[in-house]
Amino acid sequence: MNNQLLQRETNYTEIKKTTLSLLTVIIILLLSIIAWWLIPTKDPYTLEVLSYQGNIERGSAIFQVNCAGCHGINGNGNVGPSLKDISKHKSEVKIINQVVSGKTPPMPKFQPSAEDMADLLSYLRQLS
């Protein structure tokens, strides 16, 4: 009887250790994912874009030539979605990645210079 009780206690202790180890791994994984989302980008292109203030007038001209066909003349949407209040929904880093990646068909990959991208961002920021 004492051996069975001792065996149960040993099993319970092992289960607690295993559960604690699993929870530790899950917490570390979650913290790593959160840190990855919160750490600013190290991408040189994005850092250069963000170093410019941007010019709204130039950004508007870039938008009209490259984006208005799908997103509408005023960014209201057409074939592509509306870009009104886009800066409230996406960070500048995410907007830059969206524009240059080409990973959201049918939007083509677009590689403006860093200064042109900063100008485009300044234009998009003021769309409301």
Side-chain angles (χ1 to χ4, degrees):
M1 179 89 158
N2 283 341
N3 283 343
Q4 287 177 343
L5 189 58
L6 186 60
Q7 183 65 35
R8 282 185 187 167
E9 199 171 298
T10 303
N11 287 342
Y12 180 71
T13 303
E14 288 178 21
I15 290 171
K16 279 178 38 180
K17 286 180 183 177
T18 303
T19 303
L20 186 59
S21 296
L22 183 60
L23 285 174
T24 302
V25 168
I26 290 171
I27 289 170
I28 290 171
L29 182 62
L30 287 173
L31 289 174
S32 298
I33 291 170
I34 290 168
W36 183 79
W37 280 99
L38 295 178
I39 293 173
T41 183
K42 304 270 191 227
D43 174 54
Y45 174 79
T46 302
L47 291 174
E48 185 179 356
V49 170
L50 296 175
S51 73
Y52 291 108
Q53 184 170 348
N55 178 296
I56 292 174
E57 291 78 26
R58 287 192 66 228
S60 175
I62 293 165
F63 182 87
Q64 296 309 315
V65 170
N66 297 285
C67 313
C70 292
H71 293 286
I73 293 172
N74 298 312
N76 291 328
N78 192 5
V79 176
S82 171
L83 298 177
K84 297 290 187 175
D85 296 321
I86 189 69
S87 60
K88 292 180 183 175
H89 307 290
K90 286 191 175 204
S91 70
E92 289 186 336
V93 171
K94 287 185 180 183
I95 293 171
I96 293 167
N97 290 334
Q98 179 93 30
V99 170
V100 301
S101 73
K103 292 181 181 175
T104 53
M107 186 168 163
K109 190 174 188 177
F110 178 52
Q111 285 286 192
S113 70
E115 189 173 4
D116 286 349
M117 186 69 224
D119 294 339
L120 183 58
L121 276 176
S122 68
Y123 175 74
L124 293 174
R125 241 185 258 121
Q126 60 84 42
L127 288 177
S128 58

